[in-house]
Amino acid sequence: GAVVSQHPSWVICKSGTSVKIECRSLDFQATTMFWYRQFPKQSLMLMATSNEGSKATYEQGVEKDKFLINHASLTLSTLTVTSAHPEDSSFYICSARPFGDINSPLHFGNGTRLTVT
Amino acid sequence: DAKTTQPNSMESNEEEPVHLPCNHSTISGTDYIHWYRQLPSQGPEYVIHGLTSNVNNRMASLAIAEDRKSSTLILHRATLRDAAVYYCILRDVYGQNFVFGPGTRLSVLP
């Protein structure tokens, strides 16, 4: 089955530093990937839609200059949390769907737990 | 995307069937019904999806009401590993992303 790999699975960083999270589709190509954030005991909230070769689309209230998204190839999207603060500590999850298959379900990575100290 | 309503939590005994309900009274004709589940500290996992007819796969069955205003995810024999949050999501066939509601937290008792 389709696999989405996310790296790292967890990261601890100091306040003010930047952290990059990678999302790879291992056995399919994806022109679009999605980034979600999940706080404890809450559901997933869509942050942005990552489009290969063009700018990402951000949901209302998500700062595009703080959460930089790059989708440089059909199998890789990256999310960089810039100048991280403790309130950015969360569980970040990416997802993707095989290109050209509109009926395919979304496939999710296993998430990255970010802790900002 | 149309909204779904699920119970906050449910309990089941191990090895018994579990019926997880979902109401979606504002579903449109082109909305697919998707079910995902999320185990602790993991990303969501696809379970099943359907449009009008009931669906079966190795993980579960999906029973869709005739008027499509509700559906039920059926786990035929719950195991401890099925303890998770189950999300019922509607997505238009041309839609891209999923909008997650609170889901149903399923506890499985040994």
Side-chain angles (χ1 to χ4, degrees):
Chain A
V3 177
V4 173
S5 174
Q6 211 172 318
H7 179 81
S9 55
W10 60 270
V11 59
I12 301 172
C13 72
K14 292 189 175 181
S15 189
T17 61
S18 295
V19 174
K20 180 186 284 189
I21 303 169
E22 292 187 349
C23 179
R24 293 181 186 272
S25 55
L26 295 187
D27 51 359
F28 66 94
Q29 293 183 330
T31 54
T32 304
M33 292 184 176
F34 305 97
W35 288 95
Y36 292 83
R37 179 168 54 180
Q38 185 175 34
F39 292 107
K41 304 292 185 187
Q42 294 185 24
S43 190
L44 284 76
M45 294 296 295
L46 180 67
M47 298 176 65
T49 301
S50 169
N51 303 299
E52 188 267 337
S54 65
K55 290 183 179 180
T57 304
Y58 290 82
E59 295 299 300
Q60 192 171 11
V62 178
E63 299 176 58
K64 62 179 181 181
D65 295 328
K66 180 169 183 62
F67 299 99
L68 301 180
I69 291 173
N70 184 280
H71 194 150
S73 78
L74 288 173
T75 59
L76 173 64
S77 175
T78 60
L79 168 68
T80 301
V81 183
T82 63
S83 186
H85 290 285
E87 57 265 31
D88 298 322
S89 298
S90 187
F91 193 48
Y92 291 86
I93 306 167
C94 71
S95 70
R97 186 178 65 192
F99 172 66
D101 188 354
I102 61 172
N103 287 324
S104 172
L106 277 182
H107 302 281
F108 288 81
N110 264 335
T112 297
R113 186 162 303 283
L114 170 64
T115 303
V116 184
T117 61
Chain B
D1 294 304
K3 188 178 175 181
T4 63
T5 305
Q6 299 176 252
N8 290 333
S9 63
M10 289 184 65
E11 257 185 20
S12 172
N13 294 318
E14 197 176 9
E15 299 190 6
E16 289 187 356
V18 182
H19 290 231
L20 296 162
C22 181
N23 287 321
H24 28 79
S25 58
T26 59
I27 191 171
S28 73
T30 53
D31 282 336
Y32 277 78
I33 303 160
H34 289 253
W35 283 83
Y36 283 74
R37 71 180 186 182
Q38 187 178 24
L39 279 66
S41 297
Q42 293 189 26
E45 173 189 26
Y46 168 76
V47 179
I48 201 166
H49 77 290
L51 183 63
T52 57
S53 304
N54 294 343
V55 184
N56 299 297
N57 66 21
R58 63 175 180 81
M59 287 183 70
S61 295
L62 176 60
I64 301 172
E66 198 169 329
D67 63 5
R68 301 211 323 128
K69 293 182 185 293
S70 65
S71 61
T72 302
L73 178 70
I74 302 166
L75 306 179
H76 296 285
R77 219 164 141 258
T79 69
L80 297 179
R81 294 179 60 182
D82 291 323
V85 178
Y86 286 78
Y87 298 99
C88 168
I89 304 165
L90 301 183
R91 191 182 73 171
D92 184 272
V93 65
Y94 298 106
Q96 288 272 49
N97 59 285
F98 286 115
V99 177
F100 284 81
T104 295
R105 183 173 298 276
L106 175 66
S107 302
V108 180
L109 307 177

